[in-house]
């Protein structure tokens, strides 16, 4: 009661004793991580969509509308997840938009789902790396309040540089560079969405600040 997005406890399908995700945490660098220990002091920011429940009210209030051709007529499609994202970070984006509207997240730790991660793409593939970091940048642009952009942009830059350095050792730096390039090229569409998102913010900064982890990573 009182929660409109709920994380079910995801356990690793191949290692049931291991927690795959107890939700998503947002760090000061803007990087997001799955919470993999119930004792993790970081606040639950939003559910991981691998096993999540959302209220009908939340979904109705967090949609994007887009128009597509249906024969000779226009048809309005309502997206809960941003269709521009295609893969990865779409749950973080929806959770952020919901948080800005005042919706709260909770963990149902006794409701267990066994999850096999990266079933659609292999773990840390170039496809996964590209879409994750492009979509994270779009989410900052769309969802971060102006004050957060001022406070955390230096930390975000550090986070991106750290990811680039790590990707270089894995020979995936081209995927990161392409993610940055395409995030920049898509900025105008995201800025238009930002206007809609920021115009309907209901949460106070003091409450939103409680949702970000104290750690940089």
């Amino acid at each position: 009661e009182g929660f409109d997005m709920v994380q079910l406890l995801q356990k690793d399908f191949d290692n049931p004793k291991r927690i795959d995700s107890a939700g998503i945490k947002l760090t000061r660098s803007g990087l997001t991580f799955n919470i993999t220990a119930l004792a993790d002091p970081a606040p639950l920011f939003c559910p991981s969509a691998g096993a999540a429940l959302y209220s009908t009210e939340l979904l109705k209030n967090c949609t994007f509308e887009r128009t597509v051709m249906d024969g000779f007529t226009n048809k309005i499609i309502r997206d809960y997840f941003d269709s521009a994202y295609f893969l990865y970070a779409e749950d973080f984006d929806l959770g952020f938009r919901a948080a800005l509207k005042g919706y709260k997240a909770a963990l149902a730790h006794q409701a267990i789902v066994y999850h096999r991660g990266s079933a659609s793409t292999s773990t840390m593939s170039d496809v996964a790396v590209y879409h994750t970091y492009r979509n994270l940048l779009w989410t900052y642009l769309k969802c971060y309040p102006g004050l957060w952009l001022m406070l955390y942009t230096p930390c975000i830059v550090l986070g991106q540089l750290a990811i680039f350095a790590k990707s270089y050792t894995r020979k995936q730096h081209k995927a990161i560079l392409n993610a940055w390039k395409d995030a920049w090229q898509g900025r105008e569409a995201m800025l238009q969405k930002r206007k809609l998102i920021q115009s309907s913010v209901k949460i106070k900064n003091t409450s939103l600040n409680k949702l970000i982890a104290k750690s940089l990573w």
Side-chain angles (χ1 to χ4, degrees):
E1 186 178 351
F3 297 97
D4 288 87
M5 44 183 172
V6 177
Q7 173 71 55
L8 309 184
L9 185 62
Q10 292 179 204
K11 290 195 173 182
D12 191 322
F13 183 88
D14 298 310
N15 183 8
K17 293 183 178 180
R18 178 182 176 276
I19 295 176
D20 190 49
S21 181
I24 294 172
K25 62 181 177 181
L26 171 63
T27 64
R28 292 180 182 273
S29 64
L31 300 178
T32 58
F33 300 94
N34 283 311
I35 297 172
T36 57
L38 296 179
D40 192 322
L44 169 62
F45 188 82
C46 66
S48 164
L53 299 173
Y54 301 95
S55 72
T56 301
E57 178 189 328
L58 181 153
L59 293 175
K60 284 181 178 179
N61 288 326
C62 294
T63 57
F64 283 124
E65 291 187 356
R66 58 188 173 96
T67 303
V68 298
M69 288 296 296
D70 184 13
F72 295 100
T73 61
N74 290 332
K75 183 178 180 181
I76 295 177
I77 303 295
R78 292 179 173 84
D79 292 329
Y80 306 126
F81 297 126
D82 191 332
S83 59
Y85 281 35
F86 183 60
L87 289 170
Y88 296 103
E90 74 285 352
D91 45 6
F92 171 54
D93 173 61
L94 174 60
F96 211 136
R97 287 184 274 124
L100 290 174
K101 289 181 179 290
Y103 293 110
K104 298 178 181 178
L107 169 67
H109 66 275
Q110 293 182 320
I112 298 173
V113 172
Y114 295 98
H115 177 246
R116 177 167 282 163
S118 300
S120 300
T121 62
S122 60
T123 304
M124 293 305 293
S125 65
D126 285 355
V127 171
V129 167
Y130 166 80
H131 284 93
T132 295
Y133 294 105
R134 183 199 64 177
N135 295 347
L136 282 177
L137 290 173
W138 279 349
T139 304
Y140 308 149
L141 187 58
K142 288 161 52 180
C143 297
Y144 268 45
L147 182 60
W148 271 33
L149 286 175
M150 289 189 292
L151 288 175
Y152 294 123
T153 291
C155 297
I156 289 172
V157 171
L158 283 175
Q160 293 296 306
L161 291 175
I163 287 298
F164 181 78
K166 190 172 183 179
S167 72
Y168 205 90
T169 63
R170 295 175 173 172
K171 298 182 179 179
Q172 291 183 308
H173 53 287
K174 289 183 179 179
I176 295 292
L177 291 173
N178 286 330
W180 291 349
K181 175 178 66 70
D182 291 347
W184 175 256
Q185 291 180 344
R187 68 190 185 282
E188 292 299 332
M190 297 302 143
L191 286 171
Q192 290 299 317
K193 292 176 181 180
R194 175 181 177 81
K195 292 178 182 178
L196 294 174
I197 293 168
Q198 298 301 322
S199 67
S200 60
V201 172
K202 295 182 179 179
I203 193 173
K204 295 181 179 178
N205 276 327
T206 52
S207 297
L208 189 63
N209 289 341
K210 295 177 182 178
L211 298 178
I212 193 167
K214 293 180 180 180
S215 59
L216 186 61
W217 315 109

